[in-house]
Amino acid sequence: MPELPDVESLRHYLDSTALHQTVRQVEVKSEKILSGITAPQLQSALQGRCLQSTRRHGKYLLARLNQGPWLVLHFGMTGRLEYFQDRQREPPHTRLLITFDTGYRLAYDCLRQLGRVTLTEDAEGFIAQKGLGPDALALDPGTFQERLRRARGPVKAALMNQGLMAGIGNIYSDEILFQAGISPRTRISRLDERAMERLYHSMREVLETAIRCQADAQRMPSSYLILRRHRGGRCPRCGSGLSRVKLSGRTSYYCSECQSDG
DNA sequence: AGTACCACCTGACGGC
DNA sequence: TGCCGTCAGGTGGTAC
């Protein structure tokens, strides 16, 4: 599920644990998660170096190695990080395990193995090569609207299109549309200026709130949809049963009473 | 450019 | 008990 707020939380976690320690050992436990690199290449890039800083772009987390390339982490749906000391605490689906000279370890755990790990010399080049748009939180209202209007289909598909803006996935697009009072099926062309402004405001509000809550749904406001996105879930605003539809291959939940079609 | 589908991948869950 | 289909969803591919 890692979308922008989740990855931002993982970034803070990495920053507060694993920086500035020399890598002693690198264990690749599943080659499936490597993208365009071999295990020996990853090992020789990391060995003897430190992670010195991080940045995030959309759902990607990049960690700079001193005098070396960037380590690029994507978390798919089930990826996470765990920093620990005792082998006992190693997560069950660890695919990559980095051991530091301090004796601490950083595990990249990914149950479904839909996440990917790679290296790049050039962070900007990597982002461009992946075809990612600007990070969703870096957009001003004008650019947000201009980029969304490049798409034609339902607004939900546009919000999730990483080429238009990076970081929003299925969960948070539903939340943003709910908070904006706009149905996910609404065509971009039917959104007027005021709806666009509402959408922009909701996007910032939802992403920033989720980051403040460390992407933990339990901590989010009770007015949020996130905990009710399931069969039989009810609208936190009006209490009516939520609608469930497939849209561009994803399951969308929304309230047909509170969210209009423009 | 859109849509619709498939594949990757694993585990939970409901039905029989 | 255990088998089967379905679902979860980020990304990337195909065909139409």
Side-chain angles (χ1 to χ4, degrees):
Chain A
M1 182 208 40
E3 302 179 31
L4 189 155
D6 311 84
V7 179
E8 184 66 11
S9 297
L10 290 166
R11 187 173 82 82
H12 288 155
Y13 180 71
L14 196 157
D15 280 354
S16 63
T17 56
L19 294 185
H20 315 305
Q21 301 167 57
T22 303
V23 175
R24 183 204 290 162
Q25 193 189 3
V26 177
E27 294 165 63
V28 176
K29 305 202 171 211
S30 167
E31 308 241 350
K32 284 201 179 88
I33 55 122
L34 299 183
S35 168
I37 53 165
T38 63
Q41 283 171 338
L42 183 64
Q43 279 153 354
S44 73
L46 287 169
Q47 207 89 247
R49 293 203 172 89
C50 301
L51 301 173
Q52 63 176 20
S53 62
T54 59
R55 56 176 287 186
R56 183 192 55 71
H57 190 98
K59 304 173 190 174
Y60 286 85
L61 174 56
L62 298 94
R64 173 102 200 171
L65 292 156
N66 67 319
Q67 324 255 340
W70 294 81
L71 174 66
V72 181
L73 302 173
H74 187 275
F75 298 93
M77 227 189 92
T78 55
R80 61 195 188 96
L81 296 173
E82 186 75 24
Y83 182 78
F84 60 99
Q85 189 165 31
D86 297 338
R87 271 273 183 190
Q88 255 93 13
R89 285 197 49 212
E90 183 180 316
H93 311 290
T94 299
R95 310 303 184 190
L96 171 65
L97 184 62
I98 298 171
T99 304
F100 300 102
D101 62 359
T102 52
Y104 279 84
R105 303 170 202 274
L106 182 68
Y108 171 88
D109 178 273
C110 191
L111 187 154
R112 281 177 218 173
Q113 306 199 99
L114 297 176
R116 291 293 176 261
V117 173
T118 190
L119 294 166
T120 186
E121 291 294 334
D122 171 14
E124 291 301 328
F126 175 83
I127 291 160
Q129 176 248 316
K130 283 281 168 191
L132 299 175
D135 187 78
L137 279 180
L139 293 168
D140 60 70
T143 315
F144 173 80
Q145 183 167 166
E146 181 266 309
R147 296 195 73 93
L148 266 198
R149 289 212 189 276
R150 292 183 192 181
R152 238 106 303 187
V155 60
K156 162 132 171 170
L159 284 174
M160 288 197 300
N161 183 335
Q162 303 300 297
L164 294 177
M165 61 191 70
I168 300 169
N170 197 37
I171 306 282
Y172 288 103
S173 58
D174 274 4
E175 189 66 57
I176 290 163
L177 289 162
F178 176 72
Q179 297 301 331
I182 296 168
S183 160
R185 327 161 81 128
T186 311
R187 305 263 136 187
I188 291 288
S189 55
R190 298 201 51 187
L191 294 176
D192 60 18
E193 187 77 18
R194 284 190 50 219
M196 277 289 185
E197 281 164 14
R198 235 164 48 235
L199 193 56
Y200 176 80
H201 175 80
S202 296
M203 179 199 70
R204 289 211 77 90
E205 177 73 28
V206 165
L207 296 179
E208 284 166 4
T209 299
I211 289 170
R212 270 201 308 280
C213 298
Q214 290 149 282
D216 179 352
Q218 305 289 339
R219 300 186 190 188
M220 292 182 205
S222 57
S223 57
Y224 272 36
L225 186 72
I226 189 162
L227 283 177
R228 307 172 196 244
R229 282 184 83 268
H230 55 81
R231 280 195 182 84
R234 301 202 154 268
C235 172
R237 191 177 289 146
C238 76
S240 54
L242 296 174
S243 303
R244 180 181 184 271
V245 291
K246 269 261 198 265
L247 240 155
S248 50
R250 298 282 169 280
T251 305
S252 301
Y253 289 90
Y254 70 101
C255 175
S256 57
E257 299 295 316
C258 299
Q259 294 172 257
S260 75
D261 250 315

